């Protein structure tokens, strides 16, 4: 992914044939930023182009964020070196990164601002080109040695003066190495000026070869990257991330409990399932969701009544069974079926503790979800014990259940327990009504103002005010 509107067709490993394919600059810029974010600090871009046609086949295994290894790079270079021109130009810059093209390329079609105008023009006119956005640093560090072995010619360090004096032969291999500087720090020259100067060198070299009608294959890359890209997770986490700050632990997603006979019938899920008996608390989340040892004996299902039984051995010193009883009824008023969780039963040591859960209800084609389903009033209080006080307390966080019309073993659309008017909405409505009352009262007071209707006329008799005693 390189730069700009005219050329720099930054498709990862793309062949350019007689019919050029042009990608607009904004897409190139977005692709460059995406690849730069995915690459680490040990990758550099590599641009290849040649005066011959059909030297590179499209790269089929490249994708966004793909890093080209040394073996892949050799598979791209071998056809060009065997079938293409024997004169190879290697423009080697000290440092270069994708961000250089993003920052100093001609963005949004402003060609006059681009620091790579000659390189863009070369890629636009080249019959064959290949651009690799991220190449492994090790592969680039051995590129000179690799070209030397494939061509059987020692690299010749040249500049503009020596290049004009050289007499290149198309039948004899030649490896011309042109070193280009780069200044990233604030020195005598800004990076844009240095990159522009390097681009001028590339343009003059190519112009010299064109004037002598010499076929060539050129490569433009760098020894090391110019910028260190931050880790993608750190960028996504925000700039406030500190070195010793721990990453936020994402909540563990457990599979739901599923009761099946001939098909999945009842689904039950909660982010956290905890119980408390006489002050002793137990977390049953891991023993319930995703546990192959969960005992569902006693569960049943039919089209009008369903029960899900969860039995735990050794829970708080005994065997305890939690039984969710749900009923499905048709209501003529709404002309549809609704389900209701009739009750939650806890069987332990021969005794039964029952909680009324009639507020857990919804259309039968939906599931029911609530942030908290608990026997404690502070957590919603949707579970109401029939006998007060209850020795048992149950808390289900992010609770979801469905016992009817289960299809595909997945929950249907959830009917949430949250009311339409949340506390925030009520506060907004009350505040708005209060402000409207103040505005109405103020407008009424302004409209009630009356001007004086009697004034003293200096030409007429004075106004006599009768003194009231």
């Amino acid at each position: 992914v390189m730069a700009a509107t005219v050329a720099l067709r930054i498709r990862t490993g793309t062949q350019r044939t007689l019919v050029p394919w042009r990608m607009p600059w904004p897409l190139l810029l977005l692709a460059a930023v995406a690849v730069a974010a995915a690459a680490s600090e040990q990758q550099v871009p590599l641009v290849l182009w040649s005066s011959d046609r059909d030297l590179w086949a499209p790269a089929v295994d490249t994708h966004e964020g793909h890093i080209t290894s040394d073996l892949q790079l050799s598979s791209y270079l071998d056809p060009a070196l065997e079938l293409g021109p024997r004169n190879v130009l290697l423009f080697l810059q000290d440092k270069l990164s994708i961000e250089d093209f993003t920052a100093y390329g001609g963005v949004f079609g402003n060609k006059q601002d681009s620091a790579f105008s000659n390189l863009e023009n070369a890629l636009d006119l080249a019959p064959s080109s290949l651009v690799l956005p991220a190449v492994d640093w090790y592969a680039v560090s051995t590129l000179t040695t690799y070209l030397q072995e494939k061509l059987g010619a020692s690299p010749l360090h040249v500049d503009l003066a020596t290049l004009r004096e050289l007499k290149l032969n198309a039948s004899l291999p030649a490896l011309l190495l042109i070193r280009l500087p780069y200044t990233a720090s604030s020195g005598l020259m800004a990076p844009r000026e240095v990159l522009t100067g390097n681009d001028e060198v590339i343009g003059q070299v190519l112009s010299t070869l064109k004037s002598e009608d010499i076929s060539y294959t050129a490569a433009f890359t760098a020894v090391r990257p110019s910028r260190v890209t931050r880790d993608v997770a750190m960028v996504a986490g925000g700039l406030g991330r500190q070195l010793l700050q721990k990453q936020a632990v994402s909540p563990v997603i457990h599979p739901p409990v599923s009761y099946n006979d001939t098909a999945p019938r009842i689904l039950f899920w909660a982010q956290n399932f905890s119980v408390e008996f006489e002050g002793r608390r137990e977390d049953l989340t891991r023993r319930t969701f995703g546990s192959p040892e969960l005992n569902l004996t006693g569960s049943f299902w039919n089209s009008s009544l369903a029960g899900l039984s969860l039995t735990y051995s050794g829970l708080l010193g005994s065997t305890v069974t939690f039984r969710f009883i749900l009923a499905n009824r048709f209501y003529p008023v709404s002309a549809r079926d609704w389900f209701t969780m009739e009750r939650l039963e806890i069987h332990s040591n021969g005794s039964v503790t029952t909680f009324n859960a009639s507020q857990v209800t919804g259309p039968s084609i939906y599931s029911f979800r609530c942030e908290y389903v608990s026997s404690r009033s502070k957590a919603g209080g949707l579970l109401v014990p029939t006998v007060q006080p209850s020795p048992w307390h149950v808390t289900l966080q992010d609770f979801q259940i469905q016992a009817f019309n289960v299809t595909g073993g997945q929950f249907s659309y959830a009917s949430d327990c949250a009311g339409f008017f949340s506390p925030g909405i009520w506060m907004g409505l009350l505040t708005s009504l209060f402000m409207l009352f103040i505005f109405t009262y103020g407008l009424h007071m302004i409209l009630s103002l009356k001007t004086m209707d009697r004034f003293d006329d200096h030409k007429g008799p004075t106004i006599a005010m009768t003194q009231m005693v």
Side-chain angles (χ1 to χ4, degrees):
V1 180
M2 290 291 128
T5 307
V6 175
L8 286 192
R9 289 156 179 69
I10 306 313
R11 290 167 51 194
T12 311
T14 302
Q15 177 190 13
R16 185 181 184 274
T17 58
L18 289 175
V19 180
W21 182 85
R22 297 174 181 269
M23 179 183 287
W25 164 256
L27 296 181
L28 298 178
L29 179 60
L30 291 177
V33 173
V35 174
S40 66
E41 68 273 12
Q42 294 301 325
Q43 282 78 48
V44 294
L46 176 63
V47 184
L48 296 168
W49 70 98
S50 178
S51 57
D52 284 8
R53 296 185 177 91
D54 303 330
L55 292 185
W56 294 287
V60 295
D61 58 346
T62 55
H63 52 82
E64 181 180 356
H66 175 75
I67 300 174
T68 304
S69 64
D70 53 347
L71 295 178
Q72 292 173 331
L73 181 59
S74 62
S75 66
Y76 296 144
L77 292 177
D78 285 345
L81 299 177
E82 294 173 0
L83 305 176
R86 305 297 290 169
N87 295 313
V88 178
L89 305 177
L90 178 57
F91 297 97
L92 192 59
Q93 195 163 277
D94 290 343
K95 292 182 287 184
L96 183 67
S97 294
I98 293 294
E99 293 85 352
D100 293 322
F101 296 95
T102 305
Y104 306 114
V107 296
F108 306 115
N110 297 327
K111 289 292 297 176
Q112 64 274 14
D113 296 334
S114 176
F116 305 96
S117 58
N118 290 293
L119 182 59
E120 296 169 12
N121 187 58
L123 288 180
D124 185 48
L125 299 177
S128 299
S129 64
L130 176 67
V131 181
L132 303 175
V135 181
D136 185 63
W137 173 82
Y138 173 77
V140 175
S141 64
T142 59
L143 181 59
T144 304
T145 305
Y146 173 82
L147 294 176
Q148 179 179 352
E149 294 177 354
K150 295 295 293 185
L151 295 173
S154 300
L156 181 61
H157 296 263
V158 297
D159 52 20
L160 291 176
T162 56
L163 181 63
R164 295 188 180 95
E165 299 176 357
L166 287 176
K167 299 299 180 181
L168 298 177
N169 192 338
S171 60
L172 297 178
L175 176 58
L176 306 182
L177 180 59
I178 300 96
R179 298 299 299 263
L180 303 173
Y182 180 89
T183 303
S185 60
S186 57
L188 297 178
M189 298 180 63
R192 176 184 290 275
E193 297 177 357
V194 176
L195 291 173
T196 303
N198 293 346
D199 184 73
E200 291 293 336
V201 174
I202 295 176
Q204 294 176 13
V205 171
L206 298 181
S207 178
T208 302
L209 295 179
K210 183 178 180 180
S211 63
E212 298 179 4
D213 195 19
I214 298 176
S215 300
Y216 66 90
T217 297
F220 175 56
T221 186
V223 178
R224 61 185 185 275
S226 60
R227 308 184 185 199
V228 177
T229 57
R230 292 174 294 179
D231 181 69
V232 176
M234 184 179 296
V235 175
L239 297 178
R241 173 93 179 264
Q242 302 296 326
L243 290 177
L244 299 181
Q245 179 180 347
K246 294 183 179 180
Q247 295 183 357
V249 180
S250 59
V252 179
I253 305 300
H254 313 282
V257 174
S258 177
Y259 169 68
N260 309 328
D261 46 19
T262 58
R265 299 298 186 183
I266 306 175
L267 296 178
F268 163 60
W269 187 85
Q271 180 65 38
N272 180 269
F273 179 21
S274 59
V275 298
E276 185 177 334
F277 177 72
E278 295 181 348
R280 293 183 297 171
R281 187 176 182 276
E282 187 76 20
D283 191 345
L284 301 179
T285 307
R286 293 187 176 181
R287 297 183 61 178
T288 304
F289 305 103
S291 174
E293 301 177 356
L294 181 63
N295 188 355
L296 299 180
T297 303
S299 301
F300 62 94
W301 182 90
N302 57 57
S303 59
S304 59
L305 191 65
L308 178 64
S309 296
L310 310 176
T311 302
Y312 304 89
S313 59
L315 176 61
L316 301 175
S318 63
T319 300
V320 183
T321 299
F322 297 86
R323 182 170 296 170
F324 299 86
I325 307 297
L326 299 99
N328 184 34
R329 299 183 180 90
F330 177 79
Y331 290 87
V333 176
S334 61
R336 68 192 310 179
D337 292 325
W338 288 69
F339 77 90
T340 303
M341 194 166 85
E342 298 286 332
R343 61 190 181 275
L344 169 61
E345 299 176 354
I346 302 179
H347 299 258
S348 175
N349 295 327
S351 62
V352 180
T353 303
T354 305
F355 295 89
N356 182 11
S358 59
Q359 297 186 53
V360 179
T361 182
S364 297
I365 60 175
Y366 296 157
S367 62
F368 176 86
R369 183 198 173 277
C370 195
E371 184 178 2
Y372 281 99
V373 173
S374 175
S375 59
R376 297 187 178 275
S377 58
K378 294 182 179 180
L382 296 183
L383 301 177
V384 182
T386 56
V387 178
Q388 296 282 359
S390 174
W392 286 92
H393 289 286
V394 180
T395 300
L396 295 159
Q397 181 181 357
D398 287 341
F399 170 80
Q400 190 168 4
I401 194 169
Q402 183 176 359
F404 305 97
N405 299 295
V406 176
T407 56
Q410 296 181 351
F411 284 106
S412 301
Y413 177 84
S415 175
D416 203 281
C417 65
F420 180 78
F421 290 99
S422 64
I425 294 177
W426 278 115
M427 289 296 295
L429 289 176
L430 292 177
T431 303
S432 300
L433 291 175
F434 181 71
M435 297 298 294
L436 181 61
F437 170 75
I438 294 177
F439 173 76
T440 305
Y441 180 76
L443 183 62
H444 173 72
M445 295 296 292
I446 292 175
L447 295 177
S448 299
L449 293 177
K450 294 183 179 180
T451 58
M452 295 178 60
D453 56 355
R454 299 185 64 187
F455 299 93
D456 190 7
D457 188 2
H458 64 280
K459 294 183 179 180
T462 60
I463 299 175
M465 303 298 294
T466 303
Q467 183 177 3
M468 301 299 294
V469 180

